[in-house]
Amino acid sequence: ITSKGSTQYVHIVNKDSISNSTLRLPLRTKIKTARVYGTDTKVAFKQGKDNSLTLYIPEHEDCIDYIIELTQK
């Protein structure tokens, strides 16, 4: 994860590391939106009471660095 201001970027470099197209992340902040970087494609997510975040990754082609942009509340 990298960040700039109130935006965090989740870099997925190994598609095989994602089980069932979901990715769980321990976060300390609340998330307002999640989308595929550089597009308007929204990424579904669920945030737990402990702020842990589960991303439901949409189907995508293999690429070197697939990035999901998270905007904080």
Side-chain angles (χ1 to χ4, degrees), residues 47-63:
Q47 193 153 23
K49 291 180 182 179
D50 61 353
N51 288 338
S52 63
L53 182 71
T54 301
L55 295 169
Y56 301 96
I57 312 297
E59 288 295 320
H60 62 280
E61 296 179 18
D62 286 334
C63 58

